[in-house]
Amino acid sequence: MSKSILYDSTLCIGCKACEGACAERWGLPYNDRIAAEEKISAHKLTAIETHGERFSRRLCMHCEEPACASVCPVGALQKTALGPVVYDPDKCMGCRYCLQACAFQVPSYEWNSRLPRMRKCDMCYERQTRGEPTACSAACPVGATKCGDRDALVAEARQRIAAKPGAYYPKIYGLNEVGGTSVLYLSAVPFEQIGLRTNVPQGPLPALTWRVLELVPDVVSTGSVLLGGIWWITNRRAEVAKAEGKRK
Amino acid sequence: MTGRLPKLTIWRAIFAAIMVCALYATYLRVVYGLGGATNLSDRFPWGLWIAFDILCGVGLASGGFTLVAIVHIFNIERYKPVLRPAILTAFLGYSLVVVALLFDLGRPDRLWHPLVMWNPHSVMFEVAWCVTLYTTVLFLEFIPVVFEKLGWHKPLTWIHNISVPLMIAGVLLSTLHQSSLGSLYLIVPEKMYPLWYSPTLPAMFYISAIGVGLAMTIFESWHSSRAFGRALELPLLASMGRVLAVLMSAYLWLRFLDLSRRHVLDLLTVNRTETWLFLLEIALMAVPTVLLFQKSIRMSPGALYACSVMVVFGFIANRLNVGVTALEAGSGTNYVPKWSEVSITLAIVAAGFAIFRLVAQHFPIFEAHSPELAYPEVGEREEHRVAVG
């Protein structure tokens, strides 16, 4: 069973307890100035955004088929069976393809560091392996962020929509976006109104590059035979021409 | 010319100025990190160093594999005089791409990581391997020039013995990574402006790389003929210009087909920066293509040169558009490179020109300039049989 987070924007009161808990779990500084920054960055891995009177939360979406993990040339990013997409800073060479590839613009880079790392939420992988909930969901005083098995959370999200059809926009963000994510959103209004990207493809992104990459063995094998053959023919022709030229 | 101190010319002064700026930019990069030396951000993680130094650098060096294929695999011997300069350009180009990578990577000390830590699903992984292997191939294709100069016959024979598989590997590796540079962007369909995002990006990158390889060869021959006072191989370059015209027409036609099949042609009527930069890119490629179909243009050294320069700039415009322009709106940013980014890029280009000139002065690069007689120790038969180089 893969772990997920359900964030219900209609319940969120914007108290930013999740931000504080997240900073504490990572050992990152957290103060009023940082709390006022409404965007995720290398020193703030989750952020509450204000959209009029509504709130939204940004964090890594932990895609079912993450683009970041597929593009990482050194395999520093991995989708774990447990659900979180985890990062190994010791492998990372800093190509920043993950930043480029992420449809949600989640990964952040330590731009001003001499030995920089990529930073992003890891859905409290360590805590979850011990069976504990994520720091953010444990800290949420109103249950707006809830942690659990994905199937159960999807079912619960559907239930909430069915129970109060007037209070919810009737869709779950993350159910099919980029082939499904492990972070799911509920909202009272269409998702773009709370700052979520709604133009992302509905299918998994890694397929887009794999379609080409899987041709590599074919190109190599067919290419070798073809080029070798052409060389053999043209070279033979030249030799014959030379020999005939000599005979004359 | 006999004095120890090199004469101060305007070009040398410019070169020195570029290098001094780049030195300071390097200091900023090392001490203050990517943030101190670039205008990159979380939303715009790849800038000029990727779009120009890598995408253009690798592309502009594609003359190496194009001419190896023409001369040695298709056995069209008459192109041989321009083969060595093309291989030298390619070898220099790839070496400089690696230098650029050292600036661009967050952890340049881990440049070697993809060779040990594998992820075959990553386009970047494939590019890393291809570029590493191909730079090795280019080194081996170039080194006979050095052996010849030194008169080392044994290693020449060794390389000759593996030359055919080596050349085939070189062409294949180039085919793979020239197209893969386009595949890098396949994963950002929603971020990229539709005039450029296309599932055909890999094919387009490959075809345009071959085109610019030919254009660069014409460009180099013209410059070296002036620099070294040797005769221009005009009939040869003219026929190359004809191939270029046909190739670029095919390329432009495919671009048009692709745009029309994806129903995005109407975007050209929108008054946006993207539209104008797209039109600039297409014009820079279309104008020389049309011109090169005229025999009078191909047979005039100046016009032929101008056309090849236009193709080169059209190619650069295309890569910069893919790497920068196309991604700005979709990632909600406006990226303008910092002076230090431009400075490093200029220094790399300048270093390329300078090293090329230096090598061409001291090694037998232009065969027309240095006939076989100049190297009597390498017999004519052997010279002929050393396929590589």
Side-chain angles (χ1 to χ4, degrees), chain A residues 114, chain B residues 21-38 49 103 338-341 344:
Chain A
R114 273 183 231 177
Chain B
C21 290
L23 216 60
Y24 182 55
T26 308
Y27 165 78
L28 292 179
R29 168 67 187 87
V30 172
V31 177
Y32 298 101
L34 283 164
T38 70
W49 290 346
F103 280 92
K338 207 177 229 176
W339 73 265
S340 35
E341 286 175 82
I344 296 288

Side-chain angles (χ1 to χ4, degrees), chain A residues 69-72 89 91-97 100 102 105 108-109 111-112 114 197 208 213 231 234-235, chain B residues 31 35 41-42 45-46 72-73 75 104 106-107 110 113 117 119 121-122 126 184 186 188 191 330-331 384:
Chain A
S70 103
V71 301
C72 181
K91 285 185 174 176
C92 177
M93 60 188 233
C95 72
R96 315 183 299 284
Y97 198 2
Q100 183 75 281
C102 178
Q105 296 189 307
S108 299
Y109 205 62
W111 295 101
N112 295 311
R114 273 183 231 177
R197 285 186 162 238
L208 295 171
L213 274 177
W231 173 82
T234 57
N235 195 56
Chain B
V31 177
S41 63
D42 288 340
W46 287 356
H72 287 308
I73 293 176
N75 222 340
D104 187 73
R107 292 294 303 266
R110 293 174 174 176
H113 272 198
M117 302 163 189
N119 177 15
H121 283 261
S122 165
E126 192 228 310
L184 282 178
L186 288 178
V188 288
K191 277 189 201 169
S331 37
H384 192 75

Side-chain angles (χ1 to χ4, degrees), chain A residues 125-163:
Chain A
Y125 180 67
E126 281 287 318
R127 292 170 60 109
Q128 295 228 57
T129 51
R130 296 194 301 265
E132 293 170 33
T134 64
C136 54
S137 56
C140 184
V142 290
T145 292
K146 197 176 169 187
C147 169
D149 289 328
R150 190 170 189 269
D151 295 348
L153 288 178
V154 170
E156 179 167 348
R158 288 207 171 109
Q159 252 166 23
R160 288 189 201 175
I161 295 173

Side-chain angles (χ1 to χ4, degrees), chain A:
Chain A
M1 264 304 204
S2 97
K3 296 289 178 188
S4 281
I5 283 178
L6 172 63
Y7 171 77
D8 189 332
S9 159
T10 66
L11 300 177
C12 182
I13 53 169
C15 70
K16 305 195 178 184
C18 49
E19 289 186 2
C22 179
E24 193 186 325
R25 171 244 176 277
W26 285 97
L28 289 165
Y30 192 71
N31 51 38
D32 289 350
R33 193 178 50 80
I34 293 171
E37 293 171 8
E38 288 210 346
K39 63 180 178 85
I40 48 176
S41 62
H43 61 263
K44 187 170 183 180
L45 309 190
T46 186
I48 292 291
E49 295 174 348
T50 318
H51 296 274
E53 63 208 37
R54 297 192 171 81
F55 299 105
S56 180
R57 204 188 141 199
R58 292 291 309 275
L59 69 160
C60 173
M61 299 294 288
H62 298 278
C63 307
E64 301 273 84
E65 290 186 49
C68 61
S70 103
V71 301
C72 181
V74 293
L77 284 151
Q78 299 286 344
K79 174 77 177 175
T80 58
L82 191 64
V85 176
V86 295
Y87 168 70
D88 179 355
D90 292 332
K91 285 185 174 176
C92 177
M93 60 188 233
C95 72
R96 315 183 299 284
Y97 198 2
C98 49
L99 278 78
Q100 183 75 281
C102 178
F104 306 102
Q105 296 189 307
V106 164
S108 299
Y109 205 62
E110 294 178 328
W111 295 101
N112 295 311
S113 163
R114 273 183 231 177
L115 296 175
R117 289 166 295 177
M118 183 277 282
R119 304 304 298 265
K120 73 168 194 69
C121 154
D122 73 347
M123 219 207 264
C124 292
Y125 180 67
E126 281 287 318
R127 292 170 60 109
Q128 295 228 57
T129 51
R130 296 194 301 265
E132 293 170 33
T134 64
C136 54
S137 56
C140 184
V142 290
T145 292
K146 197 176 169 187
C147 169
D149 289 328
R150 190 170 189 269
D151 295 348
L153 288 178
V154 170
E156 179 167 348
R158 288 207 171 109
Q159 252 166 23
R160 288 189 201 175
I161 295 173
K164 284 191 198 168
Y168 288 101
Y169 176 67
K171 286 210 168 100
I172 306 169
Y173 188 85
L175 196 59
N176 299 311
E177 276 71 14
V178 298
T181 61
S182 293
V183 173
L184 307 162
Y185 283 78
L186 284 177
S187 163
V189 290
F191 297 113
E192 58 270 21
Q193 293 180 27
I194 58 165
L196 296 175
R197 285 186 162 238
T198 46
N199 66 340
V200 296
Q202 296 297 299
L205 293 169
L208 295 171
T209 42
W210 184 243
R211 207 177 290 155
V212 178
L213 274 177
E214 67 178 348
L215 298 176
V216 168
D218 298 6
V219 171
V220 172
S221 50
T222 317
S224 322
V225 173
L226 206 65
L227 291 173
I230 292 171
W231 173 82
W232 188 58
I233 292 170
T234 57
N235 195 56
R236 177 79 193 137
R237 203 177 277 166
E239 272 175 13
V240 169
K242 197 174 276 171
E244 282 179 347
K246 269 188 189 151
R247 220 174 296 146
K248 279 174 198 167

